[in-house]
Amino acid sequence: GLPRTDATVTTQPGNASPLGPSAHGNGYNFAVYVDGATQVNLCLYSRSGELLHTLPMQRSESVWHLTIIGGAP
């Protein structure tokens, strides 16, 4: 899908596997199994605990996923 920008965060739909967070070429992918959910958001916080971003995830059956572009090692 096309990249989407939320303030300073650029995202793509990402991959449904592997589950959990994973670093790859251009960023970090997040995938979680949630059966029965109608919406799942990835929330990003500052080191002090301030909510910075709430990013809606994409669904593939019962797996929700999102890639954040940038910041990968």
Side-chain angles (χ1 to χ4, degrees):
L2 296 175
R4 198 175 97 201
T5 302
D6 174 358
T8 60
V9 177
T10 301
T11 65
Q12 290 182 334
N15 301 306
S17 66
L19 291 177
S22 58
H24 58 86
N26 64 343
Y28 289 94
N29 188 73
F30 296 86
V32 294
Y33 178 87
V34 183
D35 192 30
T38 58
Q39 182 175 346
V40 175
N41 293 314
L42 177 66
C43 298
L44 303 179
Y45 292 85
S46 69
R47 291 182 188 265
S48 65
E50 175 187 2
L51 178 62
L52 300 175
H53 301 280
T54 301
L55 307 168
M57 299 179 83
Q58 304 292 313
R59 181 174 68 187
S60 296
E61 297 182 20
S62 293
V63 178
W64 294 79
H65 46 89
L66 184 72
T67 291
I68 296 176
I69 305 301

mmCIF file of all heavy atoms in Angstrom, residues 46-68:
data_model
loop_
_atom_site.group_PDB
_atom_site.id
_atom_site.type_symbol
_atom_site.label_atom_id
_atom_site.label_comp_id
_atom_site.label_asym_id
_atom_site.label_seq_id
_atom_site.Cartn_x
_atom_site.Cartn_y
_atom_site.Cartn_z
ATOM 1 N N SER A 46 6.509 8.610 24.218
ATOM 2 C CA SER A 46 7.838 9.151 24.469
ATOM 3 C C SER A 46 8.457 8.379 25.631
ATOM 4 O O SER A 46 7.775 7.626 26.333
ATOM 5 C CB SER A 46 7.747 10.637 24.820
ATOM 6 O OG SER A 46 7.131 10.794 26.099
ATOM 7 N N ARG A 47 9.733 8.582 25.853
ATOM 8 C CA ARG A 47 10.399 7.927 26.989
ATOM 9 C C ARG A 47 9.771 8.319 28.325
ATOM 10 O O ARG A 47 9.802 7.559 29.275
ATOM 11 C CB ARG A 47 11.884 8.259 26.996
ATOM 12 C CG ARG A 47 12.632 7.616 25.856
ATOM 13 C CD ARG A 47 14.118 7.937 25.944
ATOM 14 N NE ARG A 47 14.801 7.490 24.764
ATOM 15 C CZ ARG A 47 15.421 6.316 24.662
ATOM 16 N NH1 ARG A 47 15.421 5.497 25.679
ATOM 17 N NH2 ARG A 47 16.031 5.993 23.542
ATOM 18 N N SER A 48 9.176 9.512 28.397
ATOM 19 C CA SER A 48 8.553 9.969 29.647
ATOM 20 C C SER A 48 7.113 9.486 29.802
ATOM 21 O O SER A 48 6.472 9.777 30.807
ATOM 22 C CB SER A 48 8.603 11.495 29.720
ATOM 23 O OG SER A 48 7.813 12.062 28.679
ATOM 24 N N GLY A 49 6.603 8.751 28.805
ATOM 25 C CA GLY A 49 5.266 8.188 28.910
ATOM 26 C C GLY A 49 4.166 8.998 28.246
ATOM 27 O O GLY A 49 2.996 8.657 28.353
ATOM 28 N N GLU A 50 4.524 10.052 27.524
ATOM 29 C CA GLU A 50 3.535 10.875 26.826
ATOM 30 C C GLU A 50 3.121 10.177 25.523
ATOM 31 O O GLU A 50 3.973 9.745 24.743
ATOM 32 C CB GLU A 50 4.132 12.248 26.507
ATOM 33 C CG GLU A 50 3.232 13.134 25.681
ATOM 34 C CD GLU A 50 3.921 14.413 25.232
ATOM 35 O OE1 GLU A 50 5.110 14.625 25.522
ATOM 36 O OE2 GLU A 50 3.243 15.207 24.559
ATOM 37 N N LEU A 51 1.818 10.081 25.282
ATOM 38 C CA LEU A 51 1.320 9.501 24.044
ATOM 39 C C LEU A 51 1.642 10.433 22.889
ATOM 40 O O LEU A 51 1.244 11.599 22.880
ATOM 41 C CB LEU A 51 -0.194 9.268 24.126
ATOM 42 C CG LEU A 51 -0.860 8.711 22.860
ATOM 43 C CD1 LEU A 51 -0.307 7.328 22.512
ATOM 44 C CD2 LEU A 51 -2.367 8.664 23.042
ATOM 45 N N LEU A 52 2.386 9.930 21.908
ATOM 46 C CA LEU A 52 2.792 10.738 20.764
ATOM 47 C C LEU A 52 1.935 10.476 19.531
ATOM 48 O O LEU A 52 1.601 11.406 18.800
ATOM 49 C CB LEU A 52 4.260 10.465 20.419
ATOM 50 C CG LEU A 52 5.278 10.759 21.511
ATOM 51 C CD1 LEU A 52 6.672 10.330 21.054
ATOM 52 C CD2 LEU A 52 5.253 12.238 21.873
ATOM 53 N N HIS A 53 1.613 9.203 19.278
ATOM 54 C CA HIS A 53 0.869 8.836 18.071
ATOM 55 C C HIS A 53 -0.040 7.640 18.351
ATOM 56 O O HIS A 53 0.331 6.744 19.094
ATOM 57 C CB HIS A 53 1.814 8.443 16.932
ATOM 58 C CG HIS A 53 2.769 9.518 16.544
ATOM 59 N ND1 HIS A 53 2.426 10.566 15.727
ATOM 60 C CD2 HIS A 53 4.061 9.720 16.874
ATOM 61 C CE1 HIS A 53 3.464 11.359 15.566
ATOM 62 N NE2 HIS A 53 4.457 10.864 16.258
ATOM 63 N N THR A 54 -1.208 7.664 17.734
ATOM 64 C CA THR A 54 -2.111 6.525 17.725
ATOM 65 C C THR A 54 -2.324 6.164 16.262
ATOM 66 O O THR A 54 -2.907 6.947 15.514
ATOM 67 C CB THR A 54 -3.451 6.864 18.403
ATOM 68 O OG1 THR A 54 -3.186 7.267 19.745
ATOM 69 C CG2 THR A 54 -4.385 5.676 18.403
ATOM 70 N N LEU A 55 -1.807 5.010 15.857
ATOM 71 C CA LEU A 55 -1.794 4.629 14.448
ATOM 72 C C LEU A 55 -2.695 3.420 14.210
ATOM 73 O O LEU A 55 -2.480 2.356 14.796
ATOM 74 C CB LEU A 55 -0.366 4.284 14.022
ATOM 75 C CG LEU A 55 0.683 5.361 14.321
ATOM 76 C CD1 LEU A 55 2.081 4.810 14.138
ATOM 77 C CD2 LEU A 55 0.449 6.565 13.439
ATOM 78 N N PRO A 56 -3.716 3.539 13.360
ATOM 79 C CA PRO A 56 -4.579 2.399 13.071
ATOM 80 C C PRO A 56 -3.815 1.331 12.280
ATOM 81 O O PRO A 56 -3.057 1.647 11.370
ATOM 82 C CB PRO A 56 -5.715 2.995 12.241
ATOM 83 C CG PRO A 56 -5.185 4.273 11.703
ATOM 84 C CD PRO A 56 -4.128 4.745 12.650
ATOM 85 N N MET A 57 -4.005 0.074 12.670
ATOM 86 C CA MET A 57 -3.336 -1.045 12.014
ATOM 87 C C MET A 57 -4.254 -1.645 10.946
ATOM 88 O O MET A 57 -5.465 -1.437 10.979
ATOM 89 C CB MET A 57 -2.939 -2.089 13.055
ATOM 90 C CG MET A 57 -1.961 -1.546 14.094
ATOM 91 S SD MET A 57 -1.489 -2.753 15.344
ATOM 92 C CE MET A 57 -0.189 -3.624 14.466
ATOM 93 N N GLN A 58 -3.673 -2.376 10.015
ATOM 94 C CA GLN A 58 -4.393 -3.061 8.943
ATOM 95 C C GLN A 58 -4.701 -4.490 9.390
ATOM 96 O O GLN A 58 -3.941 -5.060 10.170
ATOM 97 C CB GLN A 58 -3.543 -3.107 7.675
ATOM 98 C CG GLN A 58 -3.095 -1.749 7.189
ATOM 99 C CD GLN A 58 -4.244 -0.912 6.680
ATOM 100 O OE1 GLN A 58 -5.065 -1.389 5.917
ATOM 101 N NE2 GLN A 58 -4.313 0.334 7.119
ATOM 102 N N ARG A 59 -5.759 -5.089 8.844
ATOM 103 C CA ARG A 59 -6.137 -6.440 9.252
ATOM 104 C C ARG A 59 -6.009 -7.424 8.098
ATOM 105 O O ARG A 59 -6.406 -7.152 6.977
ATOM 106 C CB ARG A 59 -7.561 -6.461 9.762
ATOM 107 C CG ARG A 59 -7.989 -7.857 10.221
ATOM 108 C CD ARG A 59 -9.330 -7.855 10.857
ATOM 109 N NE ARG A 59 -10.353 -7.568 9.864
ATOM 110 C CZ ARG A 59 -11.628 -7.372 10.154
ATOM 111 N NH1 ARG A 59 -12.031 -7.401 11.411
ATOM 112 N NH2 ARG A 59 -12.496 -7.126 9.213
ATOM 113 N N SER A 60 -5.441 -8.587 8.403
ATOM 114 C CA SER A 60 -5.444 -9.759 7.514
ATOM 115 C C SER A 60 -5.987 -10.906 8.348
ATOM 116 O O SER A 60 -5.278 -11.466 9.187
ATOM 117 C CB SER A 60 -4.024 -10.091 7.032
ATOM 118 O OG SER A 60 -3.496 -9.047 6.234
ATOM 119 N N GLU A 61 -7.280 -11.216 8.178
ATOM 120 C CA GLU A 61 -7.998 -12.179 9.004
ATOM 121 C C GLU A 61 -7.917 -11.729 10.464
ATOM 122 O O GLU A 61 -8.391 -10.649 10.772
ATOM 123 C CB GLU A 61 -7.500 -13.591 8.757
ATOM 124 C CG GLU A 61 -7.755 -14.022 7.310
ATOM 125 C CD GLU A 61 -7.314 -15.432 7.016
ATOM 126 O OE1 GLU A 61 -7.155 -16.223 7.956
ATOM 127 O OE2 GLU A 61 -7.144 -15.724 5.824
ATOM 128 N N SER A 62 -7.281 -12.490 11.361
ATOM 129 C CA SER A 62 -7.216 -12.087 12.772
ATOM 130 C C SER A 62 -5.877 -11.484 13.155
ATOM 131 O O SER A 62 -5.601 -11.280 14.331
ATOM 132 C CB SER A 62 -7.504 -13.293 13.673
ATOM 133 O OG SER A 62 -8.842 -13.709 13.526
ATOM 134 N N VAL A 63 -5.040 -11.174 12.182
ATOM 135 C CA VAL A 63 -3.737 -10.549 12.466
ATOM 136 C C VAL A 63 -3.777 -9.096 12.007
ATOM 137 O O VAL A 63 -4.150 -8.794 10.873
ATOM 138 C CB VAL A 63 -2.586 -11.302 11.768
ATOM 139 C CG1 VAL A 63 -1.253 -10.605 12.031
ATOM 140 C CG2 VAL A 63 -2.518 -12.741 12.250
ATOM 141 N N TRP A 64 -3.403 -8.217 12.918
ATOM 142 C CA TRP A 64 -3.341 -6.780 12.648
ATOM 143 C C TRP A 64 -1.874 -6.411 12.499
ATOM 144 O O TRP A 64 -1.028 -6.860 13.269
ATOM 145 C CB TRP A 64 -4.007 -6.012 13.784
ATOM 146 C CG TRP A 64 -5.478 -6.287 13.862
ATOM 147 C CD1 TRP A 64 -6.079 -7.378 14.398
ATOM 148 C CD2 TRP A 64 -6.518 -5.457 13.364
ATOM 149 N NE1 TRP A 64 -7.439 -7.291 14.268
ATOM 150 C CE2 TRP A 64 -7.747 -6.115 13.637
ATOM 151 C CE3 TRP A 64 -6.549 -4.235 12.717
ATOM 152 C CZ2 TRP A 64 -8.969 -5.580 13.286
ATOM 153 C CZ3 TRP A 64 -7.771 -3.701 12.370
ATOM 154 C CH2 TRP A 64 -8.977 -4.368 12.647
ATOM 155 N N HIS A 65 -1.556 -5.550 11.519
ATOM 156 C CA HIS A 65 -0.160 -5.265 11.202
ATOM 157 C C HIS A 65 0.029 -3.851 10.697
ATOM 158 O O HIS A 65 -0.903 -3.229 10.177
ATOM 159 C CB HIS A 65 0.369 -6.284 10.186
ATOM 160 C CG HIS A 65 -0.580 -6.512 9.035
ATOM 161 N ND1 HIS A 65 -0.563 -5.761 7.896
ATOM 162 C CD2 HIS A 65 -1.577 -7.415 8.892
ATOM 163 C CE1 HIS A 65 -1.500 -6.188 7.064
ATOM 164 N NE2 HIS A 65 -2.141 -7.205 7.666
ATOM 165 N N LEU A 66 1.259 -3.344 10.867
ATOM 166 C CA LEU A 66 1.628 -2.007 10.446
ATOM 167 C C LEU A 66 3.140 -1.908 10.428
ATOM 168 O O LEU A 66 3.813 -2.451 11.306
ATOM 169 C CB LEU A 66 1.070 -0.975 11.436
ATOM 170 C CG LEU A 66 1.294 0.495 11.098
ATOM 171 C CD1 LEU A 66 0.420 0.912 9.921
ATOM 172 C CD2 LEU A 66 0.983 1.359 12.300
ATOM 173 N N THR A 67 3.678 -1.226 9.423
ATOM 174 C CA THR A 67 5.115 -0.955 9.382
ATOM 175 C C THR A 67 5.336 0.540 9.576
ATOM 176 O O THR A 67 4.668 1.355 8.943
ATOM 177 C CB THR A 67 5.725 -1.396 8.038
ATOM 178 O OG1 THR A 67 5.700 -2.827 7.977
ATOM 179 C CG2 THR A 67 7.178 -0.947 7.900
ATOM 180 N N ILE A 68 6.270 0.865 10.467
ATOM 181 C CA ILE A 68 6.708 2.252 10.645
ATOM 182 C C ILE A 68 8.002 2.397 9.867
ATOM 183 O O ILE A 68 8.955 1.641 10.084
ATOM 184 C CB ILE A 68 6.922 2.563 12.141
ATOM 185 C CG1 ILE A 68 5.591 2.462 12.873
ATOM 186 C CG2 ILE A 68 7.534 3.956 12.296
ATOM 187 C CD1 ILE A 68 5.697 2.652 14.358
#
